[in-house]
Amino acid sequence: QVQLVESGGGLVQAGGSLRLSCAASGSAFSSYGMGWFRQAPGKGREFVARISWSGSSTEYADSVKGRFTISRDNAKNTMYLQMNSLKPEDTAVYYCASTALATMRATQYSNWGQGTQVTVSS
């Protein structure tokens, strides 16, 4: 099982950038696919991006495509989400999660971090 801790959230103006990190501890981080999800107040958890265990395959939600980039460094047991051109509608708690599958479905992710708040002001 892998334990996950997100960091890097904060308050930024529209058009700005943030980089989120997801540090993993425990066994076999490099064996898992990883994903980023977000949840805005009063809304359900939304898929943002995912990356394969090797980093060779990525997938993005249409709402962030071209603005966000997911990556991972298996030597550092860390995944990243570079967020550029941020919009107020990107405001949410961002979560990282691990999965044994290539999937965008939150229910198919088994381990979750505690989340990090991202707030984008207009």
Side-chain angles (χ1 to χ4, degrees):
Q1 191 167 353
V2 61
Q3 291 79 46
L4 305 171
V5 179
E6 303 94 337
S7 62
L11 174 63
V12 64
Q13 288 188 332
S17 298
L18 283 174
R19 188 175 84 153
L20 305 184
S21 297
C22 174
S25 59
S27 61
F29 169 76
S30 60
S31 299
Y32 291 98
M34 298 293 296
W36 286 100
F37 292 79
R38 66 187 182 186
Q39 188 165 14
K43 296 188 176 181
R45 196 161 291 190
E46 174 190 23
F47 169 77
V48 175
R50 69 165 189 89
I51 187 167
S52 63
W53 66 271
S54 65
S56 62
S57 175
T58 59
E59 192 169 9
Y60 297 90
D62 287 343
S63 58
V64 307
K65 203 171 293 183
R67 300 187 298 121
F68 290 11
T69 302
I70 190 171
S71 62
R72 67 190 295 165
D73 185 339
N74 286 343
K76 295 183 178 180
N77 278 10
T78 303
M79 177 180 65
Y80 305 97
L81 185 68
Q82 178 66 43
M83 305 187 295
N84 298 330
S85 302
L86 283 161
K87 304 175 180 180
E89 52 263 43
D90 294 318
T91 295
V93 177
Y94 283 71
Y95 299 89
C96 65
S98 65
T99 179
L101 306 172
T103 180
M104 297 185 292
R105 296 182 177 181
T107 55
Q108 294 180 322
Y109 283 74
S110 53
N111 296 297
W112 293 81
Q114 83 289 347
T116 185
Q117 176 71 47
V118 171
T119 302
V120 184
S121 63
S122 57

